Amino acid sequence: MIDEVRSITALGKVANYIPALADGRKTDLAVSVCTIDGQYFQAGTVEKSFTLQSISKVLALAFVLDIKGEEEVFSKVGMEPSGDPYYSISKLEFTNPTKPFNPMINAGALAITSLLPGHSMKKKLENFIDYVSCLTGNRKIEYNEKVAKSEFTTSFLNRSLLYYMKQFGVIEGNVEDIIDLYTKQCAVEIDCLQLARIGAIFSLNGQDPEKRNQLITKRTAKICKAFMVTCGMYNASGEFAIKVGVPAKSGVSGGILAVVPNRFGIGIFGPALDQRGNSIGGWKLLEKMADQFDINIF
Amino acid sequence: MIDEVRSITALGKVANYIPALADGRKTDLAVSVCTIDGQYFQAGTVEKSFTLQSISKVLALAFVLDIKGEEEVFSKVGMEPSGDPYYSISKLEFTNPTKPFNPMINAGALAITSLLPGHSMKKKLENFIDYVSCLTGNRKIEYNEKVAKSEFTTSFLNRSLLYYMKQFGVIEGNVEDIIDLYTKQCAVEIDCLQLARIGAIFSLNGQDPEKRNQLITKRTAKICKAFMVTCGMYNASGEFAIKVGVPAKSGVSGGILAVVPNRFGIGIFGPALDQRGNSIGGWKLLEKMADQFDINIF
Amino acid sequence: MIDEVRSITALGKVANYIPALADGRKTDLAVSVCTIDGQYFQAGTVEKSFTLQSISKVLALAFVLDIKGEEEVFSKVGMEPSGDPYYSISKLEFTNPTKPFNPMINAGALAITSLLPGHSMKKKLENFIDYVSCLTGNRKIEYNEKVAKSEFTTSFLNRSLLYYMKQFGVIEGNVEDIIDLYTKQCAVEIDCLQLARIGAIFSLNGQDPEKRNQLITKRTAKICKAFMVTCGMYNASGEFAIKVGVPAKSGVSGGILAVVPNRFGIGIFGPALDQRGNSIGGWKLLEKMADQFDINIF
Amino acid sequence: MIDEVRSITALGKVANYIPALADGRKTDLAVSVCTIDGQYFQAGTVEKSFTLQSISKVLALAFVLDIKGEEEVFSKVGMEPSGDPYYSISKLEFTNPTKPFNPMINAGALAITSLLPGHSMKKKLENFIDYVSCLTGNRKIEYNEKVAKSEFTTSFLNRSLLYYMKQFGVIEGNVEDIIDLYTKQCAVEIDCLQLARIGAIFSLNGQDPEKRNQLITKRTAKICKAFMVTCGMYNASGEFAIKVGVPAKSGVSGGILAVVPNRFGIGIFGPALDQRGNSIGGWKLLEKMADQFDINIF
């Protein structure tokens, strides 16, 4: 299946808005499945690591929801899909009081990052990395300094969103500090196997597929999966719900985290992107898996 | 459970934008469940009939999808949640080419209505009513003339949407004819038992819960459920996905059609509405059912 | 000067959105000047008649302001330039309460037309035509039935605007009647000489250049000229104020009414349009006149 | 006249978004007139100095237009009124390519500031202050450090606008540097007499009212006056054009610079503001002057 799909990657484009991302090999395509009893299936070079980018949005959300609680989180960020591209700012202006529509668009994700637990920015980052490390089964997780730096230098739109939100009290603290933290959060490196394992945890409503301890509360896991369905695949989320029908979150590095509730988690890496920022090969693979394995949850 | 919830209806408001709807008794609250093996459970006056209103959007969509196919339907209407209220027109102006974001907002629903099969408006209406009748198990279905007329006389916003779409080729034909058809489609009367039965059909991916014949194709049933999740509860769909987590479609008459895949369908009637147009008691009931019966699909 | 400019008309496009307008000869270009003491200067075929189109907006505004008064008019229509194309609807949705930004965009102009004095639509039209006739020195004025009919059949956007405004109480009455009246108002025929004479009246703050009787009140004439500056040249009004600097109103038939306060009025006809709907040759001519005759009012 | 008007100041509100501005005495109201032959008339405490705030936008524009030329300036900033509040960001998102609508809204003004001549930020500020000093007849001009600092600390929206524009290449350079320069530009102190003198220069199309040397080119003076009419009084510019009818630019400190072409300049200070940010007493005074001295240019 993966070979059939690989040819479609020629139609995509590797993200180049962050210089360090432009290194991705366009024809790369790998997929890993982790079942709820901890078995792995895989195709392609699944050990190749890549940065989380927007996939980190859903992990930071899970972390912050479990630490701070729904009330605090949803006082800052809404629950509705917006229909806009992830970088859009205009809805902030048209919403009164100012509140990002959801935690999957950049405005909302930045607000979530500002809520990460920790007494300093350094500690917040450490805590987030420890959290991801825990989800991956205590693998050593690190962020890619080159990617983080590259993104830090160029993410003017995110600064624009942050200053806008600071004006209206959605975020507190220093914008440069939050950008620094956010770009490092996005630059955390992972591979398909680890991503599939995290998918399996969501699949099990927060339980570790091996030890069966609860890593994420059931409530938080369900909230995250709901967001993945309504707004996890950028402004193609509706189409993805129709064509594939599973909770998923993509990133511009070409990663996709997908979840088949009570069955398995999926980790994909394919850096050739379609126009809306989703891995073109990854999407196609998931469509094929939907046909073959009847994973559509609806 | 229904008695616990009934008190919350005092906080809602019966829709009065269509004069004939303002007759609803604010404290009415009824729920019916139809399991996939055709058993019914119920509470409240479940035989009281009400008009489909926006619930008709998902039935018309299912009908048109099965008759015309995805390609034609999605050439006219998009697949993405919009984040806007159902009556919004501004996204039509900002989208190029002009295309309603999805079939659950009024613009998209009107475009779907214009695609109903039939050589005349009269025949299109008959076909739609026959379709609904078939889904309810061949009960005699009729539309409420008084409600239809009342809505026909006052739906200026829908005419505005239609003329806007006619200008840009999204719809063809006479606007007054489409309004007439749409208001009658919305005025089709149903009761909770029938609605629950339709829910059970969606739950079974299109099969009749009694005779097990396929009334809706599996593909269409899944598409409809995906839309119900991403945009079925007006601009509170994201919140509903988080708090309840099942495909559902509400109408301003106070009806809600909800679907628990592979388990049961739910029909609710509670005309006291919250600010975004959803039955306030119905929503609360579904939240309680989500807790008690673990129906959240995520 | 006119021959120098004529060559530029090759770059423009004759409006074809109203089929009957597509007959305009692209190279036509005529200009007439009427001084405040009633002298005429002219170049090109100034007697060729054309339809007022949007130029009628400022005449209807003058008429309605003098009959109904500022308070009534500005309770329905605002005073601010909008920055949007004339046909835009989205600002209506973002303004609370709903109110067209100004009487020069279609939404506002339609609201003004709905206020024309007269007990029937027929009488309102007669009154408007009599008003224009009076301004032109009692020439026989008629509307072009073919153009009116053509526009009536195709103006779906204007119906969309009207129904939107009807929903929110900006206009009353029957939409089809108002469209009928508006398309006839826009189809009133005039020539450059007559247009220049009307310009001279505005130039004299409402006085007839020959008989010196007051045809428009001074206050209304000044209000109209202010609107011509801030929003008379579609969404190029700001640029026109900078490059030419006189009150002016254009129409998609290729007409321009311009006013040099206390000096003269200008009537132009040149049906080749630029992208924003202004006569390309007419604009160029006015730029040249601004240089040569120092007409910029700022 | 000034005493009649003073009572209306009770209805206004002194700006408090910049803490240092909140010191303004609500009942202050002063006006100065400088005729084109250099005579002064005045009422109220005209020597009381205040910060330019948005009035600086038109002075920076004049300076940059004369140094860099129209072509460069209008490649960065548009010429059209926007209908939006001065701090609005959404139009930047809806315009392709990204370009502020005009130099009187904050986005455009910040872009103009970034074009001020000078090899360093310090030199740019010096050059701007020298320019204003020159316009005031070589008075010693300074900026108010406390106000500048106060605004620097709190202007998150302006940073948001700048980062948005930096993303799309509208501005270059360091955002913090531009904010620092802009807040100092806005904090330049002036009094009504000086403001009236600057008005007289614009009135004379750029000539010094005493020495008759050309301080601003005629072309630039006219462009500035055109912008003052179409967008000088925030999103009440259209109303001001109708009710007063002269080029004017207001600031949230309560200052207004107004120009009666070929007659006189007006400087006003009245810190009580109306809802759209204009001096409530100043506006009323200008309405009365329009009636009494027939200053309306239309």
Side-chain angles (χ1 to χ4, degrees), chain A residues 73-118:
Chain A
V73 168
F74 295 123
S75 74
K76 298 296 187 189
V77 181
M79 303 182 190
E80 299 306 320
S82 75
D84 294 326
Y86 60 91
Y87 49 77
S88 182
I89 196 166
S90 55
K91 271 233 172 53
L92 286 180
E93 186 160 305
F94 297 141
T95 310
N96 186 1
T98 304
K99 195 173 181 177
F101 257 54
N102 64 65
M104 299 296 118
I105 52 173
N106 283 17
L110 288 159
I112 294 298
T113 294
S114 79
L115 297 175
L116 281 172

Side-chain angles (χ1 to χ4, degrees), chain A residues 31-43:
Chain A
V31 59
S32 176
V33 162
C34 175
T35 66
I36 56 172
D37 45 13
Q39 282 186 286
Y40 285 90
F41 299 90
Q42 61 195 67

Side-chain angles (χ1 to χ4, degrees), chain D residues 79-99:
Chain D
M79 304 181 188
E80 299 306 319
S82 74
D84 294 325
Y86 60 92
Y87 48 77
S88 181
I89 195 165
S90 56
K91 269 232 172 54
L92 286 179
E93 186 160 304
F94 297 140
T95 310
N96 186 2
T98 303
K99 196 174 180 177

Side-chain angles (χ1 to χ4, degrees), chain C residues 130-147:
Chain C
D130 287 351
Y131 182 73
V132 178
S133 172
C134 165
L135 298 180
T136 57
N138 298 310
R139 307 294 176 84
K140 188 167 163 36
I141 295 289
E142 284 180 329
Y143 71 91
N144 181 317
E145 280 190 47
K146 195 176 147 203
V147 169

Side-chain angles (χ1 to χ4, degrees), chain A residues 164-211:
Chain A
Y164 197 94
M165 293 193 287
K166 190 170 169 70
Q167 176 76 33
F168 293 102
V170 179
I171 62 148
E172 285 161 23
N174 181 282
V175 165
E176 290 300 310
D177 284 350
I178 300 173
I179 282 284
D180 184 58
L181 179 57
Y182 182 72
T183 52
K184 286 171 180 164
Q185 166 194 312
C186 286
V188 164
E189 286 190 322
I190 205 159
D191 63 33
C192 286
L193 294 164
Q194 294 164 336
L195 208 50
R197 192 184 195 279
I198 294 177
I201 296 169
F202 280 109
S203 177
L204 282 164
N205 280 324
Q207 281 183 20
D208 186 294
E210 286 145 22
K211 306 182 201 155

